[in-house]
């Protein structure tokens, strides 16, 4: 019996054979995962681009516009996730993975800032929320970076047995730290959602304006998307080996980026329609082009009337979010 046949019959040979069979599939999954994330990001960007150029880019610079740009264009983490499997040196591969993790945390923080600012606007710029929200945001960020830092220390990388497909991959890591981090994100969003519901019941229960509806609808959608993606990530980390359990990391990051950007776009769309009397999509319609332009004072009056009794101060608080 030759050595090749003997190796195939040993336990080590079976492991190697198994790795040889699954490694190409793992690489294909990683590539499809990352490329689909990029495709979705680009497709969403192209759909919003005309509105973004004409309305958002032309607006004056403020915190919300900066956060929009960061959520839309800060995609370094997805690039690092794509390339780290191609780095042959284990130390460089590990550094690239840590870089992906840190930049992903930064991207998530940008999306979380949008949520916190939205809640502050809904509260009417309440002093209580002005104090509480930054403290909660900082607490969540400190916990997230602490858990991630500890997790990075537990991850061990090794050269792949099939470098033509994957040059290095993780072989161990404390997944409970990842699940704890995801749990903190879910708890944070749950608190924000409950606070949003409380404000809605207390202050906006009788208001049915498009602006108010957009605020609450997008808040619920963001929470459901984050909760669903976090649950999927937790299940994958607890049930799959280290080489493949992070497959849903970039999709969850993309969900954060797209939804946070969309929240701002939707608010600007409502503002555009209320100020002009027509939607952005209808701006070139013949009946719109033939209208006589309203005076600035008349447009403001129409906006206030659209709020159906909402106070001017509340409206301006929400306009600050835009």
């Amino acid at each position: 019996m030759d050595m090749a046949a003997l190796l195939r019959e040993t336990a080590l040979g079976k492991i190697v054979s198994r790795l040889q069979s699954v490694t190409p599939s793992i690489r294909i999954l990683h590539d499809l995962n990352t490329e689909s994330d990029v495709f979705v990001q680009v497709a969403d960007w192209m759909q919003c681009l005309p509105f973004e150029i004409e309305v958002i880019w032309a607006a004056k610079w403020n915190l919300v516009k900066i956060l929009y740009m960061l959520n839309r264009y800060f995609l370094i983490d997805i690039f690092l996730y794509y390339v780290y499997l191609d780095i042959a040196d284990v130390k460089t591969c590990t550094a690239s993975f840590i870089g992906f993790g840190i930049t992903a945390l930064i991207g998530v923080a940008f999306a979380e800032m949008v949520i916190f600012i939205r809640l502050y606007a809904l509260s009417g710029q309440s002093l209580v929320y002005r104090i509480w929200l930054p403290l909660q945001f900082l607490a969540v960020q400190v916990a997230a970076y602490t858990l991630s830092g500890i997790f990075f220390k537990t991850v061990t990388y090794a050269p792949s047995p099939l470098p033509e497909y994957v040059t290095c991959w993780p072989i161990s890591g404390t997944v409970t730290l990842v699940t704890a981090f995801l749990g903190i994100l879910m708890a944070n969003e749950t608190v924000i959602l409950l606070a949003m519901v409380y404000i809605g019941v207390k202050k906006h229960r009788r208001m049915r304006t498009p602006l108010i509806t957009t605020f609450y609808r997008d808040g619920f959608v963001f929470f459901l998307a984050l909760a669903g993606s976090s649950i999927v990530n937790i299940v994958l980390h607890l049930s799959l080996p280290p080489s493949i359990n992070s497959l849903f990391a970039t999709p969850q990051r993309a969900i954060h980026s797209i939804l946070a950007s969309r929240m701002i776009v939707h608010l600007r769309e409502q503002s555009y329609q209320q100020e002009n009397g027509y939607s952005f999509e209808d701006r070139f319609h013949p009946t719109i082009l033939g209208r006589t332009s309203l005076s600035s004072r008349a447009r403001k009056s129409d906006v206030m009337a659209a709020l159906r009794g909402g106070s001017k101060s509340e409206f301006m608080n929400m306009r600050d979010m835009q």
Side-chain angles (χ1 to χ4, degrees), residues 58-78:
K60 65 179 181 179
W61 283 96
N62 55 25
L63 178 59
V64 175
K65 181 175 179 178
I66 293 172
L67 287 177
Y68 177 85
M69 295 299 183
L70 291 173
N71 274 286
R72 179 63 80 185
Y73 297 106
F74 185 84
L75 303 175
I76 300 174
D77 51 318
I78 295 179

Side-chain angles (χ1 to χ4, degrees), residues 80 83-94 96 167-168:
L80 290 174
V83 303
Y84 89 88
L85 292 177
D86 289 318
I87 300 174
D89 180 72
V90 173
K91 290 184 178 180
T92 308
C93 178
T94 303
S96 179
T167 55
C168 77

Side-chain angles (χ1 to χ4, degrees), residues 140-195:
V140 170
Q141 296 305 309
V142 169
Y145 280 95
T146 300
L147 290 172
S148 299
I150 299 173
F151 170 71
F152 292 146
K153 291 182 179 180
T154 68
V155 178
T156 302
Y157 273 79
S160 166
L162 292 177
E164 65 269 25
Y165 293 105
V166 178
T167 55
C168 77
W169 58 7
I171 58 175
S172 66
T174 307
V175 296
T176 53
L177 295 171
V178 179
T179 58
F181 162 70
L182 294 171
I184 288 174
L185 282 184
M186 290 182 62
N188 176 60
E189 290 302 325
T190 301
V191 171
I192 297 298
L193 177 68
L194 293 175

Side-chain angles (χ1 to χ4, degrees), residues 40-41 112 149 219 294 312:
V40 171
Q41 292 268 24
E112 294 291 316
L294 296 173
K312 182 176 181 180

Side-chain angles (χ1 to χ4, degrees), residues 74-78 80-81 97-111 141 145 148 152 181 185 249-250 252-253 256:
F74 185 84
L75 303 175
I76 300 174
D77 51 318
I78 295 179
L80 290 174
Y81 184 84
F97 179 76
I98 293 174
F100 155 71
I102 293 174
T103 52
L105 287 175
I106 294 173
V108 169
F110 292 150
Q141 296 305 309
Y145 280 95
S148 299
F152 292 146
F181 162 70
L185 282 184
T250 53
Q252 183 168 10
R253 168 69 178 90
H256 270 89

Side-chain angles (χ1 to χ4, degrees), residues 263-277:
M263 284 179 174
I264 298 174
V265 167
H266 291 163
L267 291 176
R268 291 277 175 108
E269 286 176 341
Q270 288 300 324
S271 176
Y272 183 95
Q273 184 166 353
Q274 289 177 352
E275 291 182 358
N276 294 280

